[in-house]
Amino acid sequence: MNLETRKLHRLRLSLIRPYIYRLLLGFLVMLVTVIIQLSFPKAVAYFIDNSAQAQQGSWLTWVALLMILVFLIHAAATSLRYYLFESAGILIVTRLRQALYGAIIGQGIGFFDRNNVGNLSNRLSADVEILKDTLTMALAIALRSLLTCIGGAVLLLMLSPGLSLLMLIVVPLSILAARQAGKMVGSRSKLVQDNLADCNHIAQESLTNIRLMHAFGQQDGAKQRYRTATGKTQDLALGNTRIFAGFQGVTSFIQYMALLVTLWFGGQMVLEGKLSIGELTSFILYAAMVAMSASGVSWFWGEWMKAVGATERVFELLSLPPQIPEGSGGADLPQLKGEIHFENVAFAYPARPENQALRGFTLSVAAGEKIALVGASGAGKSTIASLILGFYKPDAGRLKFDGVDADTLSLHAIRRNIAIVEQEPSLFSGSILENIQYALSDRLATAEEVIQAAKHANAHEFICKLPSGYDTQLGDRGVQLSGGQKQRIAIARAILRDANILILDEATSALDAHNEYLVQQGLENLMRGRTTIMITHRFSTISRAQRIVVMDQGEISQIGSHDSLILNKNGIYCRLMQKQINDLESAVSIPA
């Protein structure tokens, strides 16, 4: 066994350890049922041998009553065994989901560049669910059980067709018990599935917006929301398990009562000479084999193989080393002034190591300065923002904040001083209030603080006009709002964060003139007194910059003010501005 395999086994054991006493109790109860089952053939033989010598018919009745008591004990033990193992499985799976979710969102952005979010969500749901039986029951049930069941049934019919018909009593009674249990569980099962869907939705949404979560330091909040949702699902699932445990006990009692009835009438047939003692003994033994084997027939082998594969995939993720912890791993400054310095930085994305996104990039940004990054798509503008946010580390060169090397600072120290407004704002399906409150990870912002931020973002007026105001539910990714409204919500969130470094990533590129005007008003309030990095190609945004940095293939091509750059007719900046003018003139000349 290699080191990696031993590590995966230790991870599995660490999940089981908190529930070891529950599992041990389940094993002890299981031993009770096994002892009763193993004692049954001898009890049958004793019963048959003595029933022929009994002088009083009441002897049979007393033995039958004793057997009923034993079967009741067996039924109770079966229910308790089922509940203990199944409930342990639910608790382990819930704990596993929470640990796996924490491990996934603790990975760096490069991890999500390489892994499909849909697959990660599936590992949280389907793969983890498959593990329940693997981590608890783990009983080797295979084709032999099915063959034993079929063979035993055939032999029963061969021995005594008439007596075999008595076994059919179990079928309608089992159906009745299953129907009753189904009624009780039906509505609850829907709630379980609905809550499970909510868990998957929270996970999917968080992973889709992983950049925003990292930027605003919301990992702990995300874990708490997911923990709450999975806790509700756990409670409902445990309720269903209690119902199914009772159903298992009732079904077990019905099965053994059918055997007892068969035994009763078979004994009478022996007394009447219609059946020999040996035939009856064989019949009872086969009937017991069928009853026990029928309960063991399952699709276990295929599910076992699926579980083994799922175990490997899930525990691969759990064994991944996390990103540098948010609150440690470097110096923690109380607040950054906002000075940023790139010194001969080179960088290539892990997924595309052969293509350098930045080459020898050097740039200093003073605290409170507003600069615009312009250039063609793929020039390296968004890469600069990703490095500032700590999503990636430079391959070469150094990045400094307030003169301190970023490698010596914790991610928490850096990110809590940065706010971001994206081209397509990342919004969650909760209320407007919750989406703006997302700005703060260390505390819950008050309604007054949220309203004040919304006013500065020029968003308060349209929010108040909505039917539910700040409690309006936005739907998936803010589908209830227009582009301009979503931008102003994002600006309000950034204002509430009150960070000294601001990143505007094409914040107005997809807006019409009216919405752009409203958003620009919010941006003016947001940028005041903050170091601002504007990734843009629109002149309305560029004009607010004190310096313009023109990027070309990962390098600085030009740098300066608008007035100085526009004079260079052969420069990239002049061509970009001229193209905007031409596009605008073409749009105006199109007849309405």
Side-chain angles (χ1 to χ4, degrees), residues 317-363:
L317 292 174
L318 282 175
S319 62
L320 288 174
Q323 193 182 36
I324 297 173
E326 290 294 314
S328 61
D332 200 359
L333 300 179
Q335 189 173 22
L336 296 177
K337 298 176 182 176
E339 297 176 4
I340 305 173
H341 178 65
F342 288 85
E343 183 180 322
N344 200 30
V345 168
F347 174 76
Y349 286 96
R352 306 186 302 274
E354 69 282 356
N355 297 325
Q356 278 203 313
L358 293 178
R359 300 181 182 88
F361 183 80
T362 299
L363 177 69

Side-chain angles (χ1 to χ4, degrees), residues 71-256:
F71 292 155
L72 284 172
I73 294 172
H74 184 275
T78 299
S79 294
L80 182 57
R81 180 205 65 193
Y82 179 86
Y83 175 74
L84 289 171
F85 278 103
E86 285 296 310
S87 62
I90 292 170
L91 293 171
I92 290 170
V93 165
T94 300
R95 185 167 179 261
L96 177 59
R97 277 202 179 99
Q98 293 170 353
L100 181 59
Y101 181 75
I104 290 174
I105 66 172
Q107 298 303 309
I109 297 300
F111 171 84
F112 297 93
D113 292 340
R114 299 186 302 271
N115 290 273
N116 182 276
V117 172
N119 289 338
L120 294 175
S121 297
N122 191 62
R123 292 184 184 185
L124 276 170
S125 54
D127 286 358
V128 171
E129 188 63 29
I130 292 173
L131 290 173
K132 184 172 68 174
D133 290 337
T134 306
L135 293 173
T136 54
M137 298 296 187
L139 302 175
I141 302 169
L143 185 59
R144 184 179 64 176
S145 294
L146 178 62
L147 295 176
T148 303
C149 182
I150 295 174
V154 171
L155 292 171
L156 283 173
L157 290 170
M158 292 175 62
L159 281 169
S160 177
L163 196 57
S164 299
L165 294 177
L166 292 174
M167 292 292 294
L168 296 179
I169 188 176
V170 73
V171 176
L173 290 177
S174 296
I175 292 175
L176 181 63
R179 183 180 178 184
Q180 186 63 29
K183 287 181 180 179
M184 300 172 65
V185 171
S187 59
R188 295 177 62 90
S189 294
K190 185 179 185 301
L191 290 175
V192 171
Q193 291 303 113
D194 290 343
N195 278 272
L196 186 58
D198 289 340
C199 296
N200 292 337
H201 175 71
I202 291 172
Q204 178 87 34
E205 194 172 48
S206 298
L207 297 175
T208 301
N209 296 291
I210 192 67
R211 291 175 179 270
L212 187 73
M213 180 191 294
H214 277 248
F216 284 94
Q218 283 287 351
Q219 286 92 331
D220 289 339
K223 290 178 186 178
Q224 182 57 46
R225 285 189 292 275
Y226 191 78
R227 191 176 293 115
T228 300
T230 52
K232 292 180 181 178
T233 306
Q234 171 184 294
D235 293 339
L236 288 167
L238 287 174
N240 273 354
T241 298
R242 285 190 287 270
I243 295 174
F244 276 117
F247 168 68
Q248 288 286 323
V250 170
T251 302
S252 175
F253 179 73
I254 291 173
Q255 289 175 344
Y256 282 101

Side-chain angles (χ1 to χ4, degrees), residues 283-296:
F283 187 93
I284 293 299
L285 290 174
Y286 284 130
M289 290 171 61
V290 170
M292 290 184 287
S293 298
S295 64

Side-chain angles (χ1 to χ4, degrees), residues 571-589:
I572 294 176
Y573 182 78
C574 185
R575 293 200 300 270
L576 290 172
M577 291 300 102
Q578 187 60 49
K579 185 177 184 302
Q580 279 198 48
I581 294 172
N582 293 339
D583 291 344
L584 181 60
E585 290 176 347
S586 297
V588 172
S589 64

Side-chain angles (χ1 to χ4, degrees), residues 341-458:
H341 178 65
F342 288 85
E343 183 180 322
N344 200 30
V345 168
F347 174 76
Y349 286 96
R352 306 186 302 274
E354 69 282 356
N355 297 325
Q356 278 203 313
L358 293 178
R359 300 181 182 88
F361 183 80
T362 299
L363 177 69
S364 292
V365 183
E369 184 181 9
K370 299 171 180 60
I371 69 167
L373 298 177
V374 301
S377 178
K381 306 184 299 296
S382 295
T383 300
I384 294 171
S386 294
L387 292 176
I388 292 174
L389 283 163
F391 293 156
Y392 307 95
K393 291 185 177 182
D395 297 329
R398 290 193 296 177
L399 171 61
K400 297 180 179 180
F401 294 92
D402 291 356
V404 181
D405 198 312
D407 286 340
T408 66
L409 294 172
S410 70
L411 283 173
H412 179 72
I414 296 172
R415 288 173 177 169
R416 75 181 180 189
N417 287 278
I418 303 174
I420 182 171
V421 179
E422 304 162 289
Q423 179 179 3
E424 179 60 34
S426 298
L427 299 179
F428 297 90
S429 58
S431 67
I432 292 176
L433 178 71
E434 292 168 337
N435 271 275
I436 297 177
Q437 287 176 327
Y438 199 80
L440 304 180
S441 59
D442 56 343
R443 65 180 181 87
L444 187 66
T446 65
E448 291 75 16
E449 289 176 309
V450 171
I451 292 172
Q452 193 64 30
K455 287 180 178 178
H456 285 301
N458 203 13

